[in-house]
Amino acid sequence: SDRSFTFEMKTPPATFFIKKAAGLKTTGKPGAGSKTPGVTSVGQITMRQVQEIAKLKMKDLNATSMEAAAKTIAGSARSMGIKVVE
């Protein structure tokens, strides 16, 4: 039979872009965020950086607008222990 297939390349995970924007180490062990998010912070990113990440990840997210995508990325950053500042 026909053994053809399709291969779809997606963008890296949002956490990769968040850690890169915050200046954290992007390689090595996964989950290099805060061990206690909400209590201790390991870095910070701006809303402009969040919007840029959301723009890159828009096709992979299930958000209908850029605002919703930015909120999703900001939530991911907060859950990693990274502050989102204006």
Side-chain angles (χ1 to χ4, degrees):
S1 69
D2 183 20
R3 293 182 181 213
S4 64
F5 60 92
T6 58
F7 187 77
E8 183 178 335
M9 293 285 293
K10 295 198 175 205
T11 58
T15 55
F16 171 81
F17 291 120
I18 292 169
K19 288 192 280 189
K20 187 175 178 182
L24 300 176
K25 185 177 169 185
T26 57
T27 59
K29 69 177 186 174
S34 174
K35 294 192 186 330
T36 54
V39 178
T40 59
S41 175
V42 293
Q44 69 181 20
I45 59 175
T46 64
M47 274 308 286
R48 181 178 295 266
Q49 290 172 316
V50 168
Q51 291 169 350
E52 289 173 7
I53 294 168
K55 194 180 296 183
L56 290 171
K57 292 291 294 176
M58 188 64 183
K59 67 178 182 174
D60 294 336
L61 295 173
N62 60 352
T64 56
S65 66
M66 279 301 290
E67 293 81 23
K71 284 183 181 181
T72 301
I73 299 298
S76 295
R78 282 189 212 98
S79 71
M80 293 171 60
I82 297 174
K83 287 185 181 179
V84 179
V85 295
E86 293 295 320

